[in-house]
């Protein structure tokens, strides 16, 4: 073995011995992928600290390992281990996840745990971050996402509350599926003439849930769609007035616009966008229905955004207007739903994403899932990126989370005309469970108010 390599290996071994340092190996090495679904914290640590491991990158249900070349055959001979993404240094890992607006056409090396893994020279990574390219380098601790089943310590739970349970029990996965199927019948490209009809249908659904409706109008000036005109479109909103803290708002949102392989063409049919994202907007409507006749302390704004496929425009314009008016300070929490209906593996994998500043919320969502949707295999990440409508709320300092299936790249019909309800495997099971978790969290962040008696006294 070359003396320099012996030196490098000794150095890397010394570094690897440091806690949490099994990450930064500048030396490209072969890789393998280990299925770590529900293996537990102790086993996970054991895997990462094996002598042949040069670096590790955790992606929820799967672990990407950089290993010594001579150890690779042994790894591949083990159960739950498959070939990796080629030879790679951890410092050149770039992670892409559910990117509606593909800013770089660079193909991924592979999909690990629902995330796209790309190779990017470290210098380009620094530039990409500065340029705001959607995606992220590997976090310092090597953990992009972690299954809550693989977290250390006992699983956090919520105290079972019969009032919350009653709301959760009102979540009707069949009704939700019928709603998304109906929305999938509209061509909901932001440029489509039918977008207004879909908006009106959403408003009528909000009215049916006893909400006060309005629209947020704005001008869509598309980025990256050469020749596409600026158009005036809007976000439908349904408001539930809070009983005791009406000036504090909780936003429950999802985009309702769709696309297929074309992004800014409202004529090219079909553009059903059943999973992306009739499933999310129908989820917002289903949550509104579950809270009918449930007084909350804070006001809840249920809304569906347009312009998401053109660069998160509908939610960005909305946040900008709240910032201008100062109302952004009223928004105490935001829940975003995007693609909640595809479970290919039958393990009901679901993700809850936010940023580092709000990482504590992940434990709360985990507790809500453990208590009210225990069938969910929840995967948490505090390294979210600008990939859907929670992003500009986070950027404005609002505690916001994104709840969804385990990644978009697992869904073959993503941004295709074949994104139809029939292709959403186990949609009702997964969508229903995610909505139960979100209903419990909404009850928690909005606060349940004591019921008002007929005479208006509490
Ligand atoms: Zn989407």
């Amino acid at each position: 073995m070359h003396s320099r390599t012996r030196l490098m290996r000794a150095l890397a071994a010394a570094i690897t011995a440091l806690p949490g340092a099994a990450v930064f190996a500048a030396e490209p090495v072969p890789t393998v992928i280990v299925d770590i679904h529900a293996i537990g914290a102790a086993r996970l640590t054991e895997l990462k600290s094996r002598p042949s491991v040069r670096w590790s990158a955790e992606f929820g249900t799967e672990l990407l390992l950089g290993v010594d070349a001579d150890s690779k055959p042994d790894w591949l001979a083990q159960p739950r281990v498959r070939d990796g993404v080629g030879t790679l240094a951890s410092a050149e890992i770039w992670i892409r996840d559910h990117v509606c607006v593909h800013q770089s056409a660079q193909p991924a090396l592979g999909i690990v745990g629902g995330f796209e893994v790309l190779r990017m020279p470290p210098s380009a990574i620094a530039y990409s971050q500065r340029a705001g390219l959607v995606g992220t380098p590997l976090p310092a601790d090597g953990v992009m996402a972690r299954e809550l089943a693989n977290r250390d310590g006992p699983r956090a739970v919520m105290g079972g509350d019969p009032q919350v349970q009653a709301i959760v029990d009102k979540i009707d996965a069949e009704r939700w599926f019928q709603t998304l199927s109906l929305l999938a019948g509209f061509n909901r490209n932001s440029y489509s003439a039918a977008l207004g009809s879909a908006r009106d249908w959403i408003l009528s659904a909000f009215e049916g849930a006893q909400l006060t409706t309005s629209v947020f109008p704005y001008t869509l000036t598309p980025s990256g769609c050469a020749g596409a005109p600026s158009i005036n479109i809007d976000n439908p909103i349904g408001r539930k007035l809070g009983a005791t803290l009406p000036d504090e708002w909780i936003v429950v949102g999802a985009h309702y616009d769709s696309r297929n392989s074309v992004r800014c063409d409202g004529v090219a049919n079909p553009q059903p966008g059943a999973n992306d994202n009739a499933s999310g907007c129908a989820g917002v409507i289903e949550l509104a229905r579950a809270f009918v006749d449930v007084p909350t302390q804070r006001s809840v704004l249920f809304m569906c955004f347009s312009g998401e496929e053109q660069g998160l425009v509908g939610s960005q314009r909305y946040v900008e207007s709240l910032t201008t008016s100062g109302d952004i300070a009223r928004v105490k929490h935001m829940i975003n739903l995007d693609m909640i209906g595809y479970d290919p593996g039958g393990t009901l994998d679901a993700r809850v994403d936010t940023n580092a500043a709000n990482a504590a919320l992940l434990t709360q969502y985990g507790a809500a899932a453990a208590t009210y949707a225990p069938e969910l295999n929840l995967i948490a990440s505090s390294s979210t990126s600008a990939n859907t409508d929670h992003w500009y709320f986070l950027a404005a300092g609002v505690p916001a989370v994104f709840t969804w299936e385990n990644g978009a790249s697992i869904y073959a019909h993503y941004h295709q005309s074949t994104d139809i309800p029939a292709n959403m495997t186990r949609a009702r099971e997964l969508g229903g469970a995610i909505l139960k978790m979100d209903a419990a969290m909404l009850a928690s962040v909005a606060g349940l108010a004591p019921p008002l008696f007929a005479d208006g006294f509490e």
Side-chain angles (χ1 to χ4, degrees):
M1 185 189 295
H2 189 282
S3 62
R4 200 175 79 78
T5 317
R6 237 198 312 275
L7 174 63
M8 287 295 293
R9 179 164 298 169
L11 186 63
I15 291 172
T16 309
L18 296 170
V23 179
F24 292 101
E27 194 82 8
V29 290
T31 55
V32 296
I33 297 170
V34 186
D35 169 359
I36 54 170
H37 172 51
I39 64 167
R43 185 103 167 73
L44 183 55
T45 306
E46 184 275 322
L47 273 173
K48 290 180 178 182
S49 53
R50 291 201 184 158
S52 61
V53 171
R54 288 287 141 252
W55 52 263
S56 66
E58 189 180 336
F59 293 96
T61 54
E62 291 190 313
L63 181 66
L64 179 65
L65 295 176
V67 298
D68 291 339
D70 50 16
S71 75
K72 189 169 176 185
D74 294 343
W75 277 100
L76 291 176
Q78 292 167 49
R80 299 176 73 169
V81 178
R82 64 186 172 98
D83 198 4
V85 294
T87 300
L88 189 65
S90 58
E92 55 187 357
I93 290 177
W94 181 256
I95 301 158
R96 200 166 58 193
D97 191 11
H98 181 269
V99 179
C100 281
V101 181
H102 270 293
Q103 294 171 328
S104 81
Q106 183 184 342
L109 297 171
I111 310 285
V112 186
F115 293 84
E116 290 184 306
V117 175
L118 288 77
R119 181 198 319 280
M120 204 183 274
S123 55
I125 286 184
Y127 167 79
S128 303
Q129 285 186 290
R130 282 197 303 277
L133 195 74
V134 177
T136 174
L138 185 64
D141 63 358
V143 180
M144 183 62 195
R146 173 159 291 167
E147 268 191 9
L148 295 192
N150 288 338
R151 271 191 172 180
D152 240 332
R155 185 76 192 267
V157 294
M158 272 183 170
D161 177 332
Q163 264 194 300
V164 176
Q165 189 64 59
I167 299 166
V168 167
D169 292 344
K170 285 163 72 179
I171 293 288
D172 181 337
E174 182 55 41
R175 180 173 58 187
W176 163 75
F177 191 79
Q178 294 314 320
T179 300
L180 80 87
S181 302
L182 188 148
L183 285 171
F186 294 99
N187 174 343
R188 303 182 323 285
N189 186 291
S190 294
Y191 283 85
S192 161
L195 187 77
S197 313
R199 180 224 27 231
D200 292 345
W201 190 88
I202 294 164
L203 287 170
S204 70
F206 283 158
E207 277 152 19
Q210 299 172 4
L211 304 175
T212 305
T213 58
S214 62
V215 295
F216 171 75
Y218 68 95
T219 299
L220 172 68
T221 46
S223 61
C225 281
S230 292
I231 52 172
N232 296 322
I233 54 177
D234 45 40
N235 304 335
I237 299 174
R239 189 185 62 168
K240 177 183 183 67
L241 190 64
T244 54
L245 299 165
D247 294 332
E248 297 191 6
W249 303 348
I250 308 296
V251 171
V252 180
H255 76 93
Y256 74 108
D257 64 306
S258 65
R259 57 168 290 179
N260 57 20
S261 51
V262 295
R263 204 153 61 85
C264 299
D265 178 339
V267 179
N269 260 319
Q271 305 194 50
N275 195 22
D276 187 15
N277 188 31
S279 70
C281 182
V284 170
I285 293 168
E286 186 57 29
L287 286 167
R289 289 167 174 156
F291 276 78
V292 168
D293 296 330
V294 176
T296 54
Q297 294 174 17
R298 295 184 173 90
S299 295
V300 185
L301 304 181
F302 298 90
M303 63 185 71
C304 294
F305 306 105
S306 52
E308 194 268 358
E309 301 289 5
Q310 286 73 36
L312 317 183
V313 184
S315 56
Q316 183 182 15
R317 293 288 171 273
Y318 181 68
V319 169
E320 285 168 356
S321 79
L322 293 183
T323 306
T324 306
S325 67
D327 284 336
I328 195 72
R330 298 175 189 278
V331 184
K332 302 306 176 189
H333 193 88
M334 195 271 182
I335 306 174
N336 186 58
L337 301 108
D338 198 338
M339 302 183 71
I340 66 169
Y342 183 64
D343 174 45
T347 45
L348 292 180
D349 298 342
R351 289 254 301 275
V352 55
D353 295 1
T354 190
N355 60 9
N358 291 288
L361 289 174
L362 301 172
T363 303
Q364 293 175 37
Y365 277 77
T371 308
Y372 297 102
E375 67 272 32
L376 268 185
N377 175 42
L378 201 61
I379 298 150
S381 176
S382 58
S383 301
T384 195
S385 54
N387 53 9
T388 183
D389 297 300
H390 63 315
W391 181 256
Y392 285 106
F393 288 88
L394 281 172
V398 172
V401 297
F402 170 26
T403 63
W404 57 313
E405 62 194 35
N406 186 23
S409 29
I410 61 171
Y411 186 53
H413 307 285
Y414 180 49
H415 291 170
Q416 305 299 314
S417 58
T418 51
D419 179 3
I420 57 174
N423 287 329
M424 296 168 63
T425 310
R426 269 180 290 278
R428 294 169 183 81
E429 293 86 343
L430 184 67
I434 291 173
L435 291 173
K436 287 194 287 184
M437 170 182 68
D438 289 346
M441 274 309 297
L442 180 54
S444 165
V445 294
L448 297 181
L452 284 181
F453 296 107
D455 58 11
F457 286 96
E458 295 190 4

